[in-house]
Amino acid sequence: MKNAINFIVTIIVALILSQFLPWWSIMVAGFVTALFFSLKRSAVFLVPFLAILLLWSVYCFWLSSGHDFIMAKKIAVLLPLDGNPYLLILVTGLIGGLAAGVAAILGKQCAVLIRN
Amino acid sequence: MRFFKLGIALILTVLVFFVLNTKLGSIPPMGKFLNPVSGVWQNDSEEIITGNLSIDGLLDVVTVHYDSILIPHIFAQNDSDLYRAQGYITAKHRLWQMEFQTFAAAGRLSEIIGEKALEYDQQQRRRGMIFGAENALIKMKEDPETYKFMEAYRDGVNSYINQLDTNDLPVEYKLLDYKPELWSSEKTALLLMYMTKMLAGGDSDLEYTNALHLFGKERFDLLFPDFYGELDPVIPEDTNWDFITTEITATPEHKIPRDSISETIDKPHPNNGSNNWAVAAEKSASGNAILANDPHLGLNLPSIWFVMQLQTPEHNAMGATLPGALGVISGFNNHISWGVTNATRDVLDWYKIEFKDASRQQYKYGNGWKNTRVRVENIKINGAETLQDSVIYTHYGPVTYDKNFKGNGEKIGYAMKWTGHIGGNNQLPFLQLNKAKTYEDYENALKNYTAPAQNFAFASTSGDVALWIQGLFPNKWKGQGKFLMDGSNPENEWQSFIPQQFNAHVKNPERGFISSANQHPVDETYPFYVFNDGYETYRNRVINDFFRNKEKISVEDFKSLQNNNFNLKASELLPNIFEHMDVTGLTSEEKEIYNQIKAWDFYSEIDQLAPSIWDLWWEKLYDQVWDEFENDDLALDTPFIYQTIYLLKNNPEDQFMDIVSTPETETAKDLFLITFKASAKELLDWKAKNGNYNWSEYKGTFTGHLLQALPAFSRFDIPIGGDYNTVNAASKNHGPSWRMIVEMSTPPRALGIYPGGQSGNPGSKYYDNFIDDWAAGNYHELLFMQDNTTNSQIMATQTLTPKQ
């Protein structure tokens, strides 16, 4: 249950913050959510990781699929990901998830410190 | 323990943030770059081209209609609004490119891409590119109206930049992690300098000086004659020059310095050139004059051209614009059409400077000394310390070569004298052409145009055709500026300029057509000194023969001529080779290749094998003939193609035919065989690796993104025929950058296409959507709107309103 709440709250906070903050809004979201909805063990990292992975992937897909992935295919040549836009979506999601997850670990440690 | 964990988490977080937020080498800051909210995903979309935009400084409402290929048709109520809207709309589609080109002009690429651009930037600074732009801007400001429009354009660009959010930035900014600067009128002047350097920034004076000392005068004159036998010049040979009352400058006493130079600065692409032609009413099948233009430039994406229609109640012009400059550059209006080709001439000379002492504050001039001035160039480098380069200026111009740069010691320098530095209001002539109604308007528009000198072709609805070779040309004494000159001798100065009215021109010639293809501007009867500045000798003859052999010409003929792949060059040498080359010792594989080229009809079409054989064979043959020019200690330019073929055919036993590195004495026919065998071997290797060497695949024409042809944003293996000496001058990464045909009916009917697309965004479907049609020789019928009412060909309309 706590995992699900953290998951949803991370996404909502990330969505709201992205309106005002640069790309690292997802790190803030991971951090803040971990402060208030503390999880245990690997879930500390995994839940926000999956939340942002999902958020960014869906957002990318939504932006790019309506446009035949024209740019995504080219960036997937540039990086290089064999010109595969889905791989690029995955990489984007992984990067976002990683950043949010790591920030959440920091948030969790702060929460532990404050509570004690 | 808790603090330890916290510490680890903190370090980890900071590290992840740093890595994802920082550009590491050529890897963009991945978090910033890939995040869907403001990163590259936002560029996977089309520009919004509907609705209302409110723009600061507009006086009235401006309407922008976009047709189905994203050409904007701008309708304004006055000129100031028109150019403001042109600036805004151009920036909307081409911002990154327009800024990047001005950075390239000013020698500021290191700021963006780091140290790898340093050598280039330093050359641009030492060429005096910014100095030239500053001088041009002074002249532009002298005409308050031009300057007012330039400011309107500038403000239009800046209105666009100021409303940009991070997520709207063109992808290149995101990739390289930087932001656009505000536009300025100086940037427009810099863009025009960029074109001036591209088209009039070449010379071979120092290379010729070296060759003269190495081979002697007699041999030099054989290799580099002032005129060729067959010219077919731009201005027809029978032109009467009696109206010219100014004399050629008398040749003074002078000596060519004995200096030798080991390395010179980069030259513009040798194939930069163009075709234009027009037939008068009486030679036109429809009875309307017809004009065509196709500038041959580097094939880049985003394309150098951006097509627009620009209308006010007073005038209505359409055609190719240069992002960063005002008005239409090659185009038409309801009365006239015009097109430009490069009128290269020797307008760049070198003077040897002898400094008084190591302080270099004074240099010898006449019986005394003149003071130098120093311009400190600060070259900012991304990821490294700013480089300061002090460039000494003389009254001639910048001392490009000195002890700090490719020079010859402490007290010697070589100063550049260039029409590009003199400054001119080269924006105004185009604005006037956009509005011109008659031949007289066209003539007046060109009067003050200085550089880069162009062959301005003209056709009008009244059925007239004309061509002025317009630019600022020094009136040189015979031979002046072919070699390095002694800067201490005042007699070596450019003493005057050819008065503008005596520039070569032609109106309604008897033959019924005008044309230019970068060949000799005039024959030897023109009273002023003109010598071979690398003139083309093939396209011009194919074009002129085409018109001479056909009585009435139609738009269809124009299309077929612009796409003509007849290889006159090959046809002038190969029969001689077939006659003299000894083929008895060829292997069966070689014999097969030999038979392929022997059966060739000399058309360089995409599906043929022979053009590939010819291309490689010629390259090897040319290099082998001029092996004497391979010299690490001296900068040398090899002789021109035409003269090379002339010598191969007429002086086959000349000493130059000998291969220096072999003990035998080779003649032309030996070179034919040796280079043929080498070519055959290479072609067979190529075939084993890539499949058959069809011309299209073998040539591999591509349009490269401006960032060093970044593969993701470039287009490769474009199937197009021709080579750099055919009328369809498409070589590997160079060719017809804008093909236009205009029939001067009322209203005019125009066709146009270029190897790119209207959008500068690699993520747009309009980025490169013209390329396939361009390669196939197809055209777009240009929608030339007569009034501001939308029609079925308009896909979207945007209204620009004054900001309240």
Side-chain angles (χ1 to χ4, degrees):
Chain A
M1 188 60 194
K2 237 182 168 182
N3 284 352
I5 293 174
N6 183 301
F7 186 86
I8 293 164
V9 171
T10 305
I11 290 181
I12 293 171
V13 173
L15 267 175
I16 294 169
L17 290 181
S18 71
Q19 305 302 307
F20 319 103
L21 294 179
W23 74 272
W24 42 266
S25 59
I26 47 134
M27 293 185 83
V28 180
F31 177 82
V32 171
T33 314
L35 278 182
F36 295 100
F37 303 91
S38 220
L39 304 180
K40 295 212 170 71
R41 282 192 280 282
S42 60
V44 175
F45 174 83
L46 275 180
V47 171
F49 171 82
L50 290 173
I52 298 303
L53 172 75
L54 179 76
L55 175 69
W56 273 23
S57 303
V58 170
Y59 195 178
C60 293
F61 181 83
W62 179 72
L63 284 171
S64 197
S65 61
H67 195 237
D68 296 333
F69 301 104
I70 298 178
M71 181 63 101
K73 284 177 189 164
K74 291 181 180 179
I75 299 300
V77 168
L78 185 89
L79 279 181
L81 297 168
D82 209 24
N84 186 336
Y86 301 104
L87 268 182
L88 185 70
I89 290 174
L90 184 67
V91 167
T92 303
L94 289 175
I95 285 175
L98 172 75
V102 166
I105 295 175
L106 180 65
K108 161 85 178 178
Q109 292 307 319
C110 288
V112 170
L113 202 67
I114 295 162
R115 234 162 281 149
N116 290 292
Chain B
M1 189 60 191
R2 261 181 236 129
F3 284 102
F4 178 71
K5 276 190 180 169
L6 180 71
I8 297 282
L10 186 66
I11 290 169
L12 206 60
T13 307
V14 170
L15 192 71
V16 167
F17 172 78
F18 178 78
V19 168
L20 297 180
N21 198 51
T22 314
K23 185 169 176 282
L24 301 166
S26 62
I27 304 166
M30 294 300 273
K32 219 171 167 179
F33 183 65
L34 282 181
N35 90 84
V37 184
S38 62
V40 67
W41 295 96
Q42 291 284 332
N43 301 71
D44 212 339
S45 62
E46 300 298 335
E47 296 292 341
I48 295 163
I49 49 171
T50 54
N52 281 299
L53 291 169
S54 76
I55 290 179
D56 231 359
L58 277 182
L59 303 171
D60 218 319
V61 173
V62 175
T63 311
V64 185
H65 297 294
Y66 284 93
D67 63 26
S68 60
I69 49 175
L70 206 74
I71 294 176
H73 302 258
I74 300 181
F75 291 83
Q77 295 306 311
N78 57 71
D79 284 347
S80 157
D81 280 1
L82 183 73
Y83 298 121
R84 186 179 300 267
Q86 189 185 6
Y88 188 95
I89 296 296
T90 305
K92 183 180 169 75
H93 301 284
R94 297 292 188 86
L95 175 64
W96 177 78
Q97 166 196 12
M98 61 198 281
E99 185 179 59
F100 187 80
Q101 288 173 340
T102 57
F103 269 61
R108 293 181 57 194
L109 291 184
S110 305
E111 270 178 58
I112 307 172
I113 58 174
E115 253 166 333
K116 57 183 175 238
L118 186 57
E119 165 81 15
Y120 171 87
D121 282 346
Q122 201 180 3
Q123 291 198 16
Q124 292 293 83
R125 306 293 179 111
R126 285 189 162 257
R127 226 184 256 278
M129 291 292 284
I130 306 176
F131 171 65
E134 286 167 359
N135 290 339
L137 198 61
I138 292 169
K139 290 276 165 58
M140 289 160 173
K141 283 182 180 167
E142 282 169 11
D143 175 41
E145 196 178 61
T146 308
Y147 195 63
K148 190 181 86 185
F149 296 151
M150 286 173 69
E151 287 181 312
Y153 184 95
R154 172 197 71 195
D155 295 344
V157 175
N158 287 338
S159 291
Y160 178 74
I161 293 175
N162 286 328
Q163 60 80 50
L164 273 180
D165 287 328
T166 318
N167 58 325
D168 302 323
L169 284 176
V171 63
E172 292 89 347
Y173 290 107
K174 297 181 182 179
L175 192 61
L176 299 169
D177 198 24
Y178 73 112
K179 287 202 158 59
E181 289 180 350
L182 288 180
W183 191 260
S184 65
S185 297
E186 194 187 348
K187 286 184 189 282
T188 294
L190 275 167
L191 177 83
L192 296 175
M193 279 302 286
Y194 181 73
M195 298 308 293
T196 304
K197 179 206 154 190
M198 188 186 293
L199 298 169
D203 77 291
S204 299
D205 303 5
L206 302 177
E207 289 83 356
Y208 285 170
T209 307
N210 288 339
L212 180 72
H213 298 328
L214 188 62
F215 302 120
K217 185 170 184 324
E218 196 188 328
R219 298 294 272 164
F220 181 88
D221 288 342
L222 173 72
L223 299 179
F224 299 98
D226 279 359
F227 286 86
Y228 300 125
E230 297 167 278
L231 286 179
D232 216 338
V234 174
I235 304 301
E237 272 159 326
D238 47 14
T239 299
N240 182 343
W241 302 112
D242 287 351
F243 66 98
I244 294 180
T245 51
T246 301
E247 300 276 319
I248 182 173
T249 303
T251 308
E253 281 290 315
H254 67 284
K255 268 206 201 102
I256 299 164
R258 291 290 312 181
D259 300 42
S260 61
I261 295 92
S262 57
E263 195 187 347
T264 56
I265 51 176
D266 297 338
K267 304 290 161 62
H269 198 293
N271 299 351
N272 286 343
S274 315
N275 302 322
N276 63 16
W277 59 74
V279 294
E282 70 268 13
K283 201 176 167 66
S284 160
S286 67
N288 297 314
I290 318 173
L291 175 138
N293 188 198
D294 60 301
H296 309 152
L297 298 170
L299 299 177
N300 292 324
L301 287 170
S303 165
I304 190 157
W305 303 107
F306 182 62
V307 179
M308 293 181 118
Q309 179 177 0
L310 302 171
Q311 203 206 54
T312 70
E314 279 75 46
H315 56 95
N316 185 9
M318 185 167 189
T321 71
L322 284 173
L326 287 68
V328 171
I329 304 295
S330 162
F332 56 96
N333 61 33
N334 270 318
H335 311 279
I336 74 156
S337 53
W338 70 96
V340 287
T341 69
N342 201 20
T344 176
R345 252 347 213 276
D346 188 16
V347 292
L348 193 164
D349 285 337
W350 294 97
Y351 289 91
K352 177 179 181 178
I353 301 298
E354 291 167 66
F355 296 112
K356 190 173 185 182
D357 52 49
S359 74
R360 306 193 297 169
Q361 286 169 341
Q362 290 190 309
Y363 60 101
K364 198 171 160 197
Y365 187 73
N367 298 322
W369 302 91
K370 253 177 151 28
N371 292 331
T372 61
R373 129 185 122 64
V374 180
R375 186 184 168 108
V376 179
E377 299 284 358
N378 289 301
I379 309 178
K380 290 188 200 151
I381 307 165
N382 188 354
E385 291 273 302
T386 296
L387 179 96
Q388 281 204 339
D389 190 16
S390 299
V391 184
I392 309 267
Y393 275 68
T394 61
H395 75 289
Y396 293 111
V399 180
T400 306
Y401 303 98
D402 63 9
K403 66 176 170 118
N404 296 324
F405 191 78
K406 304 179 197 289
N408 275 340
E410 285 262 301
K411 283 162 70 179
I412 289 177
Y414 303 103
M416 181 195 281
K417 170 90 181 176
W418 184 27
T419 51
H421 291 147
I422 291 172
N425 181 354
N426 294 316
Q427 179 62 78
L428 179 62
F430 290 102
L431 300 185
Q432 289 175 329
L433 281 174
N434 282 222
K435 300 173 188 176
K437 292 186 165 73
T438 61
Y439 173 79
E440 286 68 33
D441 291 344
Y442 151 83
E443 215 178 35
N444 278 326
L446 298 187
K447 279 205 166 110
N448 296 312
Y449 181 85
T450 63
Q454 297 289 297
N455 302 305
F456 284 90
F458 165 92
S460 67
T461 44
S462 58
D464 300 310
V465 296
L467 190 150
W468 270 84
I469 303 181
Q470 178 57 32
L472 181 67
F473 299 117
N475 179 356
K476 295 183 168 188
W477 34 267
K478 198 167 181 325
Q480 184 178 18
K482 200 164 168 180
F483 306 104
L484 175 65
M485 291 186 279
D486 175 4
S488 68
N489 178 0
E491 299 241 58
N492 282 336
E493 295 264 12
W494 291 357
Q495 298 182 14
S496 63
F497 291 95
I498 296 175
Q500 192 273 336
Q501 69 271 29
F502 300 147
N503 277 344
H505 60 278
V506 58
K507 187 191 176 195
N508 291 331
E510 218 155 288
R511 64 187 190 179
F513 70 93
I514 53 103
S515 80
S516 74
N518 320 107
Q519 76 268 44
H520 261 280
V522 289
D523 66 11
E524 288 176 82
T525 61
Y526 186 59
F528 300 106
Y529 179 63
V530 175
F531 82 98
N532 189 353
D533 200 36
Y535 294 124
E536 226 280 341
T537 45
Y538 299 101
R539 286 185 275 118
N540 62 320
R541 287 185 286 149
V542 176
I543 292 165
N544 289 350
D545 286 346
F546 182 88
F547 288 124
R548 285 192 197 102
N549 293 332
K550 200 152 191 242
E551 204 180 324
K552 296 280 182 185
I553 303 286
S554 69
V555 168
E556 286 305 313
D557 292 324
F558 268 47
K559 286 190 197 174
S560 109
L561 184 57
Q562 276 192 335
N563 291 282
N564 184 312
N565 293 327
F566 178 65
N567 205 317
L568 179 60
K569 177 175 80 173
S571 81
E572 290 189 339
L573 179 60
L574 280 173
N576 179 279
I577 293 184
F578 298 147
E579 194 183 320
H580 293 104
M581 189 170 107
D582 177 12
V583 296
T584 48
L586 295 184
T587 65
S588 63
E589 276 175 322
E590 288 167 347
K591 191 83 194 177
E592 194 189 331
I593 294 175
Y594 181 77
N595 288 335
Q596 284 163 354
I597 192 164
K598 208 168 171 203
W600 188 27
D601 62 359
F602 304 119
Y603 280 84
S604 293
E605 305 297 347
I606 49 175
D607 51 358
Q608 295 219 28
L609 301 172
S612 311
I613 306 171
W614 162 250
D615 187 73
L616 183 63
W617 191 2
W618 166 252
E619 185 193 305
K620 290 195 181 298
L621 180 60
Y622 180 85
D623 286 352
Q624 199 58 267
V625 173
W626 303 123
D627 59 337
E628 290 80 0
F629 283 70
E630 285 162 22
N631 192 320
D632 290 340
D633 305 322
L634 283 181
L636 291 169
D637 276 358
T638 46
F640 298 115
I641 293 167
Y642 184 88
Q643 196 64 7
T644 308
I645 292 180
Y646 176 88
L647 293 174
L648 281 167
K649 284 160 72 173
N650 297 288
N651 304 25
E653 282 164 24
D654 191 283
Q655 186 63 39
F656 278 113
M657 302 302 162
D658 182 39
I659 303 175
V660 183
S661 62
T662 63
E664 295 88 21
T665 304
E666 287 85 358
T667 63
K669 73 180 178 88
D670 300 318
L671 296 188
F672 297 154
L673 186 64
I674 291 166
T675 53
F676 176 76
K677 279 175 162 290
S679 307
K681 184 176 176 302
E682 207 170 307
L683 284 168
L684 290 168
D685 289 348
W686 197 93
K687 190 175 172 180
K689 214 187 286 169
N690 308 292
N692 221 350
Y693 42 87
N694 287 320
W695 181 223
S696 174
E697 284 82 9
Y698 184 79
K699 181 167 61 155
T701 296
F702 71 97
T703 52
H705 185 266
L706 281 172
L707 275 178
Q708 301 163 307
L710 205 62
F713 298 163
S714 305
R715 273 282 294 273
F716 298 94
D717 295 315
I718 300 167
I720 184 165
D723 72 13
Y724 54 95
N725 291 114
T726 61
V727 178
N728 179 27
S731 51
K732 192 174 175 66
N733 185 223
H734 201 277
S737 62
W738 157 241
R739 290 195 191 114
M740 174 180 81
I741 298 172
V742 193
E743 176 170 2
M744 296 312 293
S745 47
T746 306
R749 275 190 54 230
L751 303 171
I753 193 154
Y754 64 88
Q758 287 285 91
S759 173
N761 174 16
S764 165
K765 61 181 174 193
Y766 301 105
Y767 175 65
D768 55 4
N769 58 325
F770 298 165
I771 291 181
D772 296 334
D773 275 326
W774 169 81
N778 299 329
Y779 294 79
H780 296 126
E781 179 126 8
L782 299 180
L783 174 66
F784 187 40
M785 297 173 72
Q786 291 301 304
D787 53 52
N788 184 6
T789 47
T790 184
N791 61 48
S792 62
Q793 285 160 281
I794 298 302
M795 66 168 172
T797 298
Q798 199 160 43
T799 311
L800 316 183
T801 51
K803 201 172 239 172
Q804 297 302 322

